[in-house]
Amino acid sequence: MALLETFHLTKRFGGLVALRDVDLVVQERAIHSVIGPNGAGKTTLFNCITGFLVPDAGDIRFSGTSITGLRPDLVARLGIARTYQNIRLFRHLSVLDNVLIGLHPHINYSLLDAILRTSRYRRAERTAEREARELLAFVGLTGKEFFTAVNLPYGDQRRLEIARALALRPKLLLLDEPTAGMNPHETEEMIRLIRRLRDERGITILLIEHDMKVVMNISDVVTVLDFGEKIAEGTPEEVRRNPRVIEAYLGRGAASGLGPSTLPLPGEA
Amino acid sequence: MTIAAPHRFTGGRRIDISQLIVWTIGGILLAIVLLGSILTLRAGHYTAAQWRDFVVFGIAQGAIYALIALGYTMVYGVLRMINFAHGEVFMSGAMTTFFLADYLNRSGFLKAHPWISLVAMLLFSGLVSMTVAVLVERIAYRPLRGAPRLVPLITAVGASFFLQYTFRGLFGSGVRAYPAIPVLQGKLWVFQKTQIAVFVGVLITLALLVLFLQRTRAGLAIRAVAEDREAAALMGVDVDRAIVTTFAVGGFMAGIAGVLYALVFVQVQFFMGFLPGIKAFTAAVLGGIGNLPGAAVGGLVLGVIESIGPSLFFDGYGIRAAHQLKDVIAFTILVLILIFRPTGLLGERLGGEERV
Amino acid sequence: MIVHAARRAIFIGLVAGIAGWHLSLVGLIPAFAQRRLVGDALTFSYALLVALLALAAYATGRRYPGAVQRIPWGILSALLSSLMLFLLALLVTHLNLRQILLNATPELARVLTFGGGASGAGLVRLLLIGLLAGLFAGGLSALPRPWGRVIVSAALMTLLLGLLRDVLGPLLPQVVTSFLYGTAGLSLAGALVTFLLAAVLFTLRWSLRAKAVTARATAAVPATLRQPVTQALLLLILASVPLWAGLFLSNVADFVGFYILMGLGLNLVLGFAGLLDLGYVAFFAVGAYTMAVLTSPEVGQRFTLDFWIALPIAIVTTVLAGLLVGLPVLRMRGDYLAIATLGFGEIVRLLVLSDWLKPYLGGAQGVTRIGRPSIASWRIDSPQEFYLLVLLSCLFAWFLSVRLRDSRLGRSWFAIREDEHVAQAMGINRVTAKLSAFAIGASFGGLSGALFASLVGSVVPASFSLLVSINVVAVLVLGGMGSLPGVVVGALALVGLPELLREFQEYRLLVYGIVLIAMMLFRPAGLLPERIHRRELEEAVEEAREIAPAEIATGRG
Amino acid sequence: MRRPIRSFTVLLLLLAFVLAACQRAQPTPTPAPAAQPSPTPAAAASPTPAAQPTPQAQVTKPTDPIGVLEIKPGEPIVLAWMLTVSGGTAQLGEDSKRGIEIAIEDLGGELLGHKIELVGEDSGCNPEGGQAAATRLAANPRIVAIVGSSCSSEARVGAPIIDQAGLVMVSPSNTAPDLTDPAKHVDAYLRVAHNDKVQGRVAAEFVVNKLGLKRVATIHDGSLYAEQLANVFAENVQKLGGTVVAQEAVSPEDTDMRPVLTRIATQQPELIYYPIFNPAGSYITLQAKEISGLENVKLMSADGLLEPQTVQNAGQAAVGLYLSGPDLTVLGPKYQEFVQKYQQKYGTKPVAGFHAHAYDATMMIVEAIKKVAVQAPDGTLYIPRKALREALYQTKNFSGLTGNLTCDQYGDCADPKIAVYEVFSTDTAGWPDSAIRKIYP
């Protein structure tokens, strides 16, 4: 069953067309990757889905209902969480607070409860903290609850960002280059983490990734964007063989900083 | 695989109650202003000549706003920050030059060579303001480059008060009156000669500024930094130097504005920079901040609205002493522009930065 | 190396000299010439000059590891500054600058040269003092860890006590007063005793704190504050202020209270939610004017309400005003927000000033005969009685601030402050979060305004100028944005102290300017940084050191 | 030893609080400041009738409903000023302050064996300044009485605060009718300056009768003084058969007066009366003649602009300006003597119009203190505050520099002599004679 669908999604910036008639179907419990050279419109796609950009035309549906033009916070509350290419944590807050903020929509007490510290407030805060600690444990940050986010090592920051996104209890998680800047070992771990997200928590994953190894390794479906248009879609195997994809990458490979060698040729593992 | 779209989305963001309220308020204000104007015009208290006078006064005042606004706009274009202390830069030139003017007057030089004296005063004032502007940049802004945006804004406010009360301490809180310049007394057609001097001064300064930005290496560097600071740095532009130049040029113009202000309004004091500063900022925003012609147009438009507004908008309602509401009009325009068209009348030249 | 060091010493010496010129010519130094601190000799002017020289020496010397280098370079720059000061004295004496520079008086020359005048004697005096200051500063900084700090703190304490003679004198038992104070300022013996006592106290405090640190207790001060006994004691002291403070001090305390209230309110907006509101005075004005219109027989409907009925109405009105200001500026950030709110603040002032609204709001003449509160048969009239009301309001605002900070609303403000975009992606409704910050923050300002109007008995438009907003921002910046104790410290230092030092009044805005710039340059987190923030930082750094020493990024705080 | 005593006093104070609170509830709800001043001394309330200290009084400290000030031997008698000494109106306040200083000098700096100490607060010629200054002065319990304020706006908000604190103030230069209006007058407030009911009338007579002008416009700046004087003037002009064609307002910070002047020009006035302060006043003087339709209009202002700054700032444009104000030319030889002292001490002739008034205000206060003060054998001086006020209200035929002063029950003590001056030269070196001359009456 399709969790997220876009129909003829189009977004322009002045004269530049960032997305043109993009149709995308993300199946439930899939790990779905979006790839494409720089400037292909991947991040714009994410921004449209999460409500930060209003598409010029087209429709976005989440679990069958249209979410086009919905305010970002409402989109988030429906169960779409995201991370960022250049990590965006609440830098001067503690690790725990970062996650607690993610839990914001799920904490229910009134202002009066907070002011009077009613039992309801205390219960909600306790539950929230427990859940936050669980999430931190899940991503492997136990013991660092009271670090300030900026002081975490790079890999931990990535993980914290995921924990924070998980706190929204999302059905769909958008990951924007989760392995960027990581060493092979860290990348390994991240791949494992992403798998666990789907397997243990049943979260559908939409992924932007530059590292082809990662893409080919974990994706169920891969969509390829080029100049805002969808040029291919299918299993990693299919996409890898698609001549248009090879052309898109090879043709401008040097210019986009992505040499042909990064695209694993057929036959490679 | 193509799917026929079941629904084609055409509208923008779904309607938001907060936005609705804001638009309603804006609409009501517009209606009030329009109705007031119609009532005033139908009452017909004012002759055409008087409306013309209002416009003339507005342009004279607006030209000074424009000159100060250029400094705001340049700094904003380059640094993306509001140089809150710019009004004080303007004041510092005017205040200091009073003593030169006074000296020239006492020694009789002013009477004998009014033009030379005027040029000397303009240059002197420009240099003083320039020095102050550069010092402010060096001390209050440069060490904080790269800090969160709030931080230089706070130092700017601090610098503004520091300068105001420094000048108060140095020269006293009293009002000083510039000597009259003999050749600029009297009228030429409907204009005072001083007003004409202001227009001419503004035009020349603006022309020189455009030439400077278009034709010199320093100007090129400034434009490059305004466009993209990192890229400019990579291309070998000395960013710090370009920024200092910006402040220097902006300061120089503020200094010139200071003397022109003194020509028209005669009296100067330590607090004189505050209101013109805010107004000039309004003008810069009105024209589209970062946009040089915009600042000039914004200044003139603001000056004219301020001059005409109280009579045109409020007389029809029979509001007492409507002139008092002049600044309310200016500030309301400021807020409305920031809400409804933050890119200003002529558009913001230097896009790129997200302002959701 | 030597050339570099010399250049540095000369540079700092010149900068300090220029600072000295500035302070002299704006009149700050001569203004304090009559304020004697210790005995008949040490005036506040002299203390300022010596402090300037010592500071120059310290700034020059602190680069170097040992006393051997610190002291001579420090002395060099202190001497250079002294020379600059002497030069100014010479200029002032021999050129007639008074026509232009108001403060270039012979008196200034006398003060600058420590009474020696612009002559050889003056030069010798100045150089000698420069030498001593350099020696002193260099020596202090060369002392082992706590001692330099203890001596400086004790000296400052002594000077403060001397400065506050007129205020403290009448409060202390007469025996103490007559021992401590001479005809003006501290007596010599009094100064010595104060200094020693203060030194002992600071040493004690330091060693206690050192112990606390080794015991790994989280931040020492808040922990002790949190203990109920300390809290109760503090409360008792605060509540007893009107009994011992007298009319004048109570009045000052009231005004400090108004600023604490406003500071706490702006703290929600600026400190917590990160929205720079330069028009905060609008809320103060709305509160004050609502109180005025409702309780004064002079304007409006000619009816008067009781204070206690008017107060909640005033607060509700301010909340509405907060929403009204908040709505349009929701989408703005940073500079634009600051300017737009500034515009709002000015609009409010201009409207209450206008003849147009005069029948309702009193115009430029304002409104007088504003009602005072009474409880049963007790009419709260004097500043002393009012103090209790102000104190209660401050405590309430503090309490509310703490509770909100620790709630999900507080967290959503922090999120907006840190990254508005991400906050939205985390499901935080920007509209509610910002509007609630504006509305609740405004209500504190309104409360403050209503109390202010009632205490003073009159409101006039000029009381609600931009300066009030700037004042509140400065209070926050000094104390530390987001820090509640910071608000109190900021208000005491920036509102209380100038009230106590009459000569200071004229220079208070100059000092605000310096405070705003200097704090942002040297200590952006404020004197008492936001507590959570600091605690986390300390722990984090400490623990992280054990785990991954290489990867700690130095935070902003 | 002192400690227990102190805590005991604290307890007593607390008790006193409660008692005071209970007591105050019972009588009429009228609060103290609104109470009408009684022209006759309330026999029961005021302890020491006018005469010199009586033997009984020497032993016991007098009582007084609003407090008794105790000045121990060696302590000074503190007088205060509350004047505008900064900004555009600085000359006005500075001039008055000098008047006070000369008065104290004339007394030899001493009164009843105590030194006179002068303290003061800048009140900035606006309500906010008055509020702040009054609050500060009210908080200083050592002050006996205040000379001030300079501007009427200051007094309107300041006087109630002073009143509440139990102090008394005598203004040298407030002229707004409101301040001594029976309905609005506060008990603590007296003045030796003329009431503008007089000034406005004289100005109107001058304009209509002497100049023969019928169409006038007025401008005020929102200050109490300007607003009321403009109104009184307008009323009187109408009474005398003229018409008031426009009544406008500017704000003290305005610099561009051309739009408002243009609005006035639509009504073609023959004279514009703008009794406001500097710098706004000078802006109007400077800009009025630039407006088409106002080329031949006459300009007239009042004592707020009666200072050299007006001429210095406006230069040639000020020539021909009429200014109403206190008539100093008819004052006797005592005044001439005073001016000489002034010149000796400050190196300039008086710079505004209210130095003599300040001198008189000070002397009036000193007289009243002499009347009510009670001296204990050890030299301690007791000054009952309510009695001091009453003594001031009883001032009769007090011979001052500005005439024979007699106070009425609403605090008006002046012997008003108003003149109209004309600016004839821009030379302010020999102010006032070198720049202005009296032309009426």
Side-chain angles (χ1 to χ4, degrees), chain C residues 171 173 175 243 247-248 251 298 355 358 364-366 368 372 377-378 381 452 456 458 460 462-463 499 502 505, chain D residues 2-3 6 10 21 24-25 31 120-121 127-128 131 135-136 138-139 153 156-157 161 164 220 222-224 227 249:
Chain C
L171 297 180
V175 191
L243 297 182
L247 186 68
F248 176 65
N251 206 27
E298 282 183 2
D355 271 19
K358 188 170 179 140
Q365 292 316 311
T368 56
R372 291 264 164 81
S377 62
W378 178 33
D381 235 352
F452 167 81
V456 178
S458 55
V460 291
S463 307
E499 289 287 338
R502 306 166 41 78
Q505 284 295 341
Chain D
R2 294 280 305 178
R3 273 282 170 207
R6 273 198 90 72
V10 164
R24 221 177 290 160
E121 289 289 343
E128 136 102 327
Q131 196 178 62
T135 311
R136 289 209 196 98
S153 323
R156 180 164 183 271
V157 290
I161 298 171
Q164 182 128 47
H220 72 84
S223 70
L224 184 64
E227 192 187 352

Side-chain angles (χ1 to χ4, degrees), chain D residues 45 63 69 76 88 102 145 183 208-209 221 236 277 295 303 337 359 367-368 387 402 437:
Chain D
T63 55
L69 182 64
I102 293 176
V208 180
N209 297 345
D221 65 356
N236 277 291
F277 299 99
E295 289 86 354
D303 36 14
E337 209 177 293
Y359 182 94
E367 258 340 282
T402 59
R437 62 174 163 237

Side-chain angles (χ1 to χ4, degrees), chain D residues 62-87:
Chain D
T63 55
D64 189 277
I66 53 175
V68 177
L69 182 64
E70 182 181 329
I71 303 170
K72 296 216 181 71
E75 285 183 352
I77 292 181
V78 182
L79 294 181
W81 50 265
M82 171 179 157
L83 302 164
T84 167
V85 293
S86 68

Side-chain angles (χ1 to χ4, degrees), chain C residues 110-310:
Chain C
R110 211 188 50 70
V111 173
L112 277 177
T113 51
F114 293 84
S119 60
L123 181 62
V124 170
R125 269 189 205 199
L126 246 177
L127 288 180
L128 210 66
I129 285 170
L131 187 74
L132 286 176
L135 214 59
F136 178 69
L140 270 186
S141 62
L143 281 176
R145 177 104 163 80
W147 298 114
R149 191 161 274 208
V150 164
I151 291 179
V152 171
S153 310
L156 286 179
M157 202 67 201
T158 313
L159 293 185
L160 190 69
L161 228 63
L163 207 56
L164 297 181
R165 172 186 187 269
D166 293 344
V167 181
L168 294 179
L171 297 180
L172 299 168
Q174 199 165 10
V175 191
V176 180
T177 307
S178 57
F179 171 72
L180 273 184
Y181 292 111
T183 46
L186 291 168
S187 63
L188 277 177
L192 205 66
V193 168
T194 318
F195 179 79
L196 288 177
L197 263 175
V200 169
L201 268 172
F202 280 115
T203 318
L204 221 66
R205 198 177 100 109
W206 182 81
S207 58
L208 275 180
R209 191 183 262 186
K211 236 178 251 164
V213 168
T214 45
R216 290 208 59 187
T218 50
V221 178
T224 46
L225 270 186
R226 234 177 289 135
Q227 283 159 10
V229 181
T230 332
Q231 268 183 358
L233 209 69
L234 197 71
L235 214 67
L236 212 68
I237 295 173
L238 280 176
S240 69
V241 164
L243 297 182
W244 48 263
L247 186 68
F248 176 65
L249 262 192
S250 302
N251 206 27
V252 172
D254 287 346
F255 276 85
V256 171
F258 296 142
Y259 274 94
I260 291 179
L261 264 180
M262 280 194 277
L264 288 173
L266 185 63
N267 189 45
L268 297 187
V269 183
L270 171 58
F272 288 177
L275 308 165
L276 180 54
D277 182 350
L278 283 184
Y280 191 72
V281 66
F283 307 133
F284 186 58
V286 168
Y289 266 93
T290 314
M291 176 57 76
V293 169
L294 293 179
T295 64
S296 163
E298 282 183 2
V299 288
Q301 313 301 295
R302 315 267 157 206
F303 66 85
T304 60
L305 292 180
D306 186 66
F307 174 89
W308 296 112
I309 301 173

Side-chain angles (χ1 to χ4, degrees), chain D residues 312-384:
Chain D
Q312 285 158 6
N313 290 6
Q316 202 58 39
V319 173
L321 172 70
Y322 301 115
L323 295 164
S324 59
D327 189 351
L328 303 175
T329 58
V330 296
L331 301 181
K334 260 171 41 186
Y335 177 68
Q336 301 311 325
E337 209 177 293
F338 168 86
V339 171
Q340 267 179 0
K341 273 185 214 151
Y342 190 111
Q343 228 167 338
Q344 253 172 24
K345 196 165 153 85
Y346 303 105
T348 158
K349 283 195 178 173
V351 290
F354 294 99
H355 40 275
H357 294 85
Y359 182 94
D360 284 355
T362 316
M363 287 306 191
M364 225 173 84
I365 291 171
V366 165
E367 258 340 282
I369 292 175
K370 279 188 197 158
K371 262 193 237 166
V372 301
V374 180
Q375 194 133 27
D378 66 345
T380 303
L381 200 64
Y382 297 103
I383 303 179

